[in-house]
Amino acid sequence: MAVNLDELYEQGMETYNKGDYAAAESLFHRILAINPRFADIQNKLGIIYNQTNRMELAAKAFESALETNPGYTEASLNLAITYSDLGKYDKAREVFERAARFSNAGAGEIDPFIKGKLANEHLKIGAIYTDLRLLDEAIEEYEKALRLSPNFADIITRLGIAYREKGRYDEAISQFNRAKEVNSRFIPARVHLGLTYYSRGFYGLAEEEWQEALKIDPNNAAVKTYLNFVKPQQS
């Protein structure tokens, strides 16, 4: 009996979406035996390998997807993440930057899902630079992330922290306030704004931010501790 590729694909996708990776993997291999240049299946097979901790196989699957379709942004992002998990940071960055170039090519609008994934990868790279005390590079990555996703309070706050650690206090305060505007209940923005005020000797302003944070989360132990620190400074 002739194998129906469409039926195999439907069965494979159904098992994949149900999380039955063993069955999906078997079906995907059967599909690729018939048509090895099926980028979507190669990508999904890579995801299965990644999720089941077979990282080298995952990388090969994503590489195959990109050989088939060099402009496949999702596969590029998946490969960059897998390279990073394998400790191949230079290769991860190279693939990620290529994905970003593809996504920004032309005048068309980038899919919001891809924008979010790209922004998240810039955020991760920025965090690595921050840990290495390469703050100018970190700021550049956070700014790239915000060009893609300007209303992510977490990224805005990370940018503010990097500015503060560079001694650029006014810019830090501006970013923390911006994060509050985006999400008034985002506690880290208020916490770090308070810390910045405190470090500059504006103890009353610091207390205001921490009191507001405590209203949002009355059980926040860190904020309670900060408030205890600020009281002796005001006496």
Side-chain angles (χ1 to χ4, degrees):
M1 180 183 293
V3 177
N4 188 313
L5 189 60
D6 289 339
E7 288 182 5
L8 280 178
Y9 181 81
E10 288 179 9
Q11 291 170 17
M13 291 304 299
E14 183 179 356
T15 54
Y16 176 85
N17 291 329
K18 287 180 178 178
D20 186 352
Y21 287 157
E25 181 179 341
S26 176
L27 289 162
F28 288 161
H29 278 300
R30 290 176 64 187
I31 292 169
L32 291 175
I34 300 168
N35 180 6
R37 294 184 61 77
F38 204 143
D40 183 50
I41 295 301
Q42 292 163 338
N43 179 61
K44 285 185 169 57
L45 194 56
I47 293 170
I48 290 173
Y49 288 142
N50 184 289
Q51 292 297 308
T52 53
N53 204 32
R54 291 174 286 172
M55 296 300 179
E56 292 289 354
L57 287 175
K60 289 178 181 177
F62 295 134
E63 288 165 355
S64 295
L66 289 168
E67 288 173 9
T68 302
N69 180 3
Y72 195 167
T73 303
E74 184 179 350
S76 292
L77 295 174
N78 289 334
L79 179 58
I81 292 167
T82 301
Y83 278 154
S84 181
D85 290 339
L86 287 166
K88 300 178 180 180
Y89 301 115
D90 289 342
K91 293 184 75 173
R93 182 173 181 80
E94 178 185 342
V95 172
F96 173 73
E97 291 292 346
R98 187 165 64 243
R101 287 196 297 274
F102 267 113
S103 290
N104 285 295
E109 180 66 18
I110 305 173
D111 182 274
F113 173 75
I114 298 300
K115 275 188 176 183
K117 292 195 76 169
L118 286 168
N120 190 54
E121 291 306 309
H122 281 301
L123 174 61
K124 289 179 182 177
I125 295 168
I128 292 170
Y129 279 134
T130 299
D131 290 342
L132 295 172
R133 310 306 299 157
L134 299 172
L135 296 174
D136 288 330
E137 290 82 355
I139 288 168
E140 182 180 350
E141 291 299 325
Y142 295 142
E143 288 176 341
K144 287 179 181 177
L146 288 170
R147 283 196 288 273
L148 289 161
S149 297
N151 294 320
F152 278 27
D154 181 32
I155 302 174
I156 299 168
T157 300
R158 299 286 189 93
L159 177 59
I161 293 169
Y163 278 140
R164 184 182 65 211
E165 295 185 6
K166 279 284 293 182
R168 295 162 64 176
Y169 299 107
D170 289 344
E171 289 164 287
I173 289 169
S174 176
Q175 293 302 322
F176 295 137
N177 279 315
R178 176 184 168 193
K180 283 167 50 182
E181 290 173 5
V182 168
N183 183 355
S184 63
R185 297 184 63 81
F186 188 64
I187 290 177
R190 293 186 180 276
V191 168
H192 284 285
L193 180 55
L195 288 170
T196 308
Y197 282 143
Y198 185 93
S199 69
R200 305 300 290 160
F202 302 128
Y203 304 121
L205 292 174
E207 183 180 15
E208 286 180 22
E209 292 302 326
W210 293 335
Q211 290 287 6
E212 287 300 316
L214 204 60
K215 288 178 184 177
I216 298 167
D217 182 7
N219 297 317
N220 192 305
V223 173
K224 290 179 181 178
T225 300
Y226 297 151
L227 283 168
N228 287 333
F229 290 155
V230 81
K231 288 176 184 176
Q233 302 293 341
Q234 294 177 314
S235 60

